[in-house]
Amino acid sequence: MVKQTSFEHLRTELKNITNNLEEVISSSADKSKFEVNKLRNKAKHVLDSSLDRIDQSSAYIAKTTRETIKKADNYLHKNPWQGTGMGIVIGFILGILIIRR
């Protein structure tokens, strides 16, 4: 799988689906039944392949998220005081941001 950010990949796929469906909708009134079926088949093929790629992307996102969480968990088990310090700093920053509003 090409290394592309997941957000960009999903955005590209959804844009591709939208463009093909718009083509089917806009041109179905002017075409014969054969051409409409051809456009529908094309749209279905694009939709199926896009959904497959979206499934692959979501599986990749889930896998990398699990790996990152596992690394963070291992780090915090090995360095509990540093984890506590990070939690305090993050809480302090969030507290300041909330008070400013």
Side-chain angles (χ1 to χ4, degrees), residues 89-99:
V89 169
I90 291 170
F92 182 73
I93 292 171
L94 288 175
I96 290 173
L97 293 173
I98 292 172
I99 289 173

Side-chain angles (χ1 to χ4, degrees), residues 59-73:
Y60 176 75
I61 290 169
K63 179 183 172 189
T64 55
T65 302
R66 275 188 241 108
E67 289 172 356
T68 303
I69 290 171
K70 187 175 179 180
K71 288 178 185 178
D73 186 48

Side-chain angles (χ1 to χ4, degrees), residues 8 13-14 16 34 47 49 59 63 84 91-92:
E8 291 172 355
E13 289 301 319
L14 291 175
N16 191 13
F34 174 75
L47 181 62
S49 65
K63 179 183 172 189
T84 303
F92 182 73

Side-chain angles (χ1 to χ4, degrees), residues 7-91:
F7 177 74
E8 291 172 355
H9 185 262
L10 292 175
R11 185 176 177 182
T12 302
E13 289 301 319
L14 291 175
K15 196 177 276 190
N16 191 13
I17 292 170
T18 304
N19 290 339
N20 281 295
L21 290 178
E22 285 176 356
E23 179 185 346
V24 169
I25 291 169
S26 66
S27 65
S28 63
D30 306 347
K31 305 289 181 182
S32 68
K33 187 175 180 179
F34 174 75
E35 291 172 334
V36 169
N37 285 336
K38 186 177 172 182
L39 285 171
R40 284 184 186 155
N41 289 335
K42 178 183 175 187
K44 185 176 179 344
H45 174 70
V46 169
L47 181 62
D48 289 342
S49 65
S50 295
L51 290 175
D52 287 342
R53 283 185 247 146
I54 289 171
D55 285 343
Q56 289 174 359
S57 293
S58 63
Y60 176 75
I61 290 169
K63 179 183 172 189
T64 55
T65 302
R66 275 188 241 108
E67 289 172 356
T68 303
I69 290 171
K70 187 175 179 180
K71 288 178 185 178
D73 186 48
N74 289 338
Y75 178 80
L76 291 175
H77 280 289
K78 291 178 184 177
N79 306 302
W81 288 109
Q82 290 176 348
T84 303
M86 284 188 278
I88 291 170
V89 169
I90 291 170

